[in-house]
Amino acid sequence: MLRSLFGKGKKRKGAGAKSPVQDDSIRTAKVGDVLSIQGLSLEYDDLYFFVERINRYSTDAETWYELTCVDGDTHVWIDWTDGYDLFVTATDDPDPVGLGSIGLTEEQLIDLDEENSIDNSIEVEGDRYDYRNSSEATFYQDDRGEGQGFYHWDFMREDGDRVLSVSKWEGRPFEAVFSDVMDPDGIKLYKGERTDDRKDTGSRRAK
């Protein structure tokens, strides 16, 4: 894929983006569509990203989706779930960190899971992150197949602007990923050359 197909620094739609879809929110994104994202990084404000992969995650209580979006060598991962409101997070960091990097232990995570209380919190690099939930989840690559199970914990920074997600997959160490909470209105979707072809770019969680 050629970088800057849509012209870095120019607010225009490229050849791959035909027209705004009727619902231009991330809810209706398909592989092959194009989107712009405001608020994650100033250097991305004038870029248009191809939606290269869409994975689904589910628990007994909720379902969320992860979009792998690319512009040349730049990758952005966008998660969204639709509960009371559309909730969107994004990150451009593909590399999770271990528990030691965030000052947590396996025992602490187990205790948080067993207590299952939103009154609990942890401190990471001087910031307070409030416990939100933990549960077993299933990952469906490309929203297909029988899925792969894992366990996950979600925390929200006290200012509500950042999310910490910790996951544990069978046979792998604990992994932590930070994401920024996004304004859903800052993401604009354009219908592109939709296709069922998936490249093996994977998930930032499941590698």
Side-chain angles (χ1 to χ4, degrees):
M1 187 177 301
L2 297 176
R3 184 169 181 78
S4 301
L5 203 76
F6 300 111
K8 185 173 181 179
K10 299 179 181 178
K11 291 184 178 294
R12 64 183 177 86
K13 291 179 296 179
K18 292 183 176 179
S19 61
V21 292
Q22 186 172 7
D23 178 1
D24 68 349
S25 75
I26 200 170
R27 293 182 183 94
T28 59
K30 302 292 184 183
V31 171
D33 286 350
V34 175
L35 59 79
S36 63
I37 180 169
Q38 305 286 319
L40 178 62
S41 172
L42 288 176
E43 64 183 289
Y44 301 153
D45 284 355
D46 296 319
L47 297 185
Y48 289 88
F49 291 88
F50 285 97
V51 179
E52 193 168 62
R53 161 163 277 165
I54 301 178
N55 299 316
R56 176 167 59 95
Y57 296 82
S58 67
T59 69
D60 289 339
E62 65 176 352
T63 296
W64 72 97
Y65 295 86
E66 176 193 59
L67 281 65
T68 301
C69 305
V70 299
D71 177 87
D73 295 329
T74 301
H75 286 68
V76 171
W77 288 265
I78 303 174
D79 283 17
W80 70 269
T81 185
D82 205 1
Y84 294 107
D85 296 298
L86 178 60
F87 183 73
V88 181
T89 63
T91 181
D92 60 358
D93 186 356
D95 298 318
V97 299
L99 291 186
S101 297
I102 58 174
L104 278 179
T105 66
E106 181 176 347
E107 290 73 20
Q108 286 175 300
L109 286 174
I110 292 173
D111 289 342
L112 288 165
D113 178 59
E114 291 178 345
E115 293 175 15
N116 193 31
S117 171
I118 59 174
D119 291 328
N120 286 332
S121 64
I122 61 175
E123 185 173 308
V124 181
E125 297 181 349
D127 292 326
R128 192 187 82 199
Y129 283 79
D130 297 321
Y131 171 90
R132 283 295 173 255
N133 63 72
S134 55
S135 63
E136 291 185 51
T138 305
F139 164 72
Y140 300 90
Q141 183 168 298
D142 299 321
D143 196 8
R144 296 174 173 176
E146 297 181 359
Q148 179 182 359
F150 68 104
Y151 214 90
H152 82 111
W153 292 255
D154 282 332
F155 303 86
M156 176 81 73
R157 196 167 68 184
E158 59 181 323
D159 62 7
D161 289 339
R162 198 160 170 82
V163 168
L164 167 63
S165 299
V166 180
S167 58
K168 179 65 175 74
W169 301 75
E170 185 177 356
R172 287 163 47 181
F174 285 86
E175 300 173 342
V177 173
F178 291 92
S179 301
D180 293 325
V181 177
M182 308 301 299
D183 179 357
D185 292 335
I187 298 175
K188 299 300 181 183
L189 184 71
Y190 302 90
K191 185 176 179 180
E193 298 295 337
R194 294 182 172 185
T195 174
D196 286 333
D197 294 334
R198 272 77 168 185
K199 296 182 180 180
D200 192 19
T201 53
S203 161
R204 72 178 192 275
R205 296 189 183 92
K207 295 183 178 180

